[in-house]
Amino acid sequence: MTEWPLWEIFIRGQHGMSHRHVGSLHAPDAEIAINNARDVYTRRNEGVSIWVMKSSDIVASSPDQKGPLFDPAQSKTYRHPTFFEIPEEIGKM
Amino acid sequence: MYAQMVESTGKGVRSLEDMDGQERTFQEKINTGVRIEPKDWMPDGYRKTLIRQISQHAHSEIVGQLPEANWISRAPTLQRKAILLAKVQDEAGHGLYLYCAAETLGVSRDEMTAQLLSGKAKYSSIFNYPTLTWADVGAIGWLVDGAAIMNQVPLQRCSYGPYGRAMVRVCKEESFHQRQGFDIMRVLCEGTPEQKSMAQDALNRWWWPSIMMFGPSDEQSVHSAQSMAWGIKLSSNDELRQKFVDQTVPQAEYLGLTVPDGDLEWDESRGSYNFGEIDWDEFFQVISGNGPCNKERMAARTKAWDDGAWFRDGLQAFSERQAVQAIAAE
């Protein structure tokens, strides 16, 4: 017997929030993955909605790519509002 | 603790200066509190030790359901039964969080299950003691879960991301476990003399096994130094044990119960309790398979696994058929 596939579980904690990754579990199919996620991750009203996704379908960036992917943003401080000096007379902007 | 005798494969702790590129970057991350994540480079020893530690911890949660499950059908009230069911269900959940954390290190669930059932993998010594009366359920929640919290709270900060995050969820739920146990003890102690003596009897039997849970004393913990350097063990066994004794003795006094240790005394100079010598022979006997219930626990797990085979296979066959039908319908 082959092992049931692994699913990644995402829960929306409250209305208006996005789904967040909470963990993973094994299940033979999506429907049972949702049922199991209900029991494993929402026993205390932690959620209003569940997403499940096969772990094997997730494509992740590798730690080696950290530099090329994220370094370019570091030097671009002008993308933040705090980069600009606003005269005191102007007040809040 | 829940992982009491984790053998570390590291050969002594190396200093930063002795490490080369990758290993050095890895150790520097740990030293500065940066979490290690599944795809990051890590030394083989770190991976192997963590797999052992997390899977032992997971097995303990799973086997830990058995002593308490013994009382689900005999709980004294419907409310106690509902509470105990919820608690035992939590333990299953804790096992699952932990198995998933271990799987991120490259071991499969089936391998871990096989290691538990074959006796190759260990689980906490504490679950090899029998639950003879209802008061034992109280004592387990109060003492065993209390001891578990001591160990698990620092582990929330452990260097491996998935393990630390699993611990955050576990700790939130453990607090309910400890309180429900203490509540059982409190109600018994406020009850008839017979009920109170039941509580005392449970404390008498669970006290020593509970303080053994923290594992061998620091002088005997040969693998601790490496695990501490790796940030997967954050306090020493004796430190945690002392903290547990200091926290628990006043609670026993509140209940009007006597801790079964003639050498127990408050040490003003240390601001801690001194306590008697632990029977390490008993600990090593239990951890190596010769406790009162080791065989029974393993037989129950094996039976559950075998009896569940038709159900697992059935679900698998059903989902395969659904997938085929979905393709045919397209």
Side-chain angles (χ1 to χ4, degrees), chain B residues 44-103:
Chain B
D44 261 1
Y46 177 83
R47 186 185 297 277
K48 281 185 191 148
T49 308
L50 259 184
I51 288 176
R52 283 203 198 115
Q53 180 173 338
I54 302 174
S55 64
Q56 275 189 33
H57 195 159
H59 297 327
S60 297
E61 301 284 355
I62 297 299
V63 177
Q65 295 178 96
L66 297 170
E68 293 179 287
N70 184 35
W71 283 89
I72 292 174
S73 60
R74 294 165 230 191
T77 67
L78 187 57
Q79 190 186 39
R80 291 288 184 196
K81 179 173 177 156
I83 293 170
L84 184 55
L85 261 174
K87 200 234 172 203
V88 172
Q89 192 187 12
D90 276 353
E91 306 297 358
H94 296 179
L96 294 179
Y97 309 151
L98 287 158
Y99 280 133
C100 286
E103 285 176 75

Side-chain angles (χ1 to χ4, degrees), chain B residues 103-117:
Chain B
E103 285 176 75
T104 63
L105 291 159
V107 64
S108 77
R109 179 75 60 90
D110 281 357
E111 282 173 72
M112 288 187 279
T113 305
Q115 285 167 357
L116 172 66
L117 298 182

Side-chain angles (χ1 to χ4, degrees), chain A residues 19-70:
Chain A
H19 286 74
R20 281 187 58 182
H21 183 245
V22 293
S24 47
L25 51 76
H26 289 272
D29 60 38
E31 190 189 340
I32 294 170
I34 287 183
N35 289 340
N36 288 357
R38 195 277 308 258
D39 288 343
V40 178
Y41 292 107
T42 66
R43 291 195 301 283
R44 291 180 174 80
N45 300 317
E46 287 97 336
V48 295
S49 162
I50 300 173
W51 285 353
V52 299
M53 182 179 189
K54 269 195 189 160
S55 310
S56 56
D57 288 341
I58 289 183
V59 181
S61 67
S62 120
D64 310 340
Q65 293 171 284
K66 210 176 134 206
L69 284 176
F70 307 115

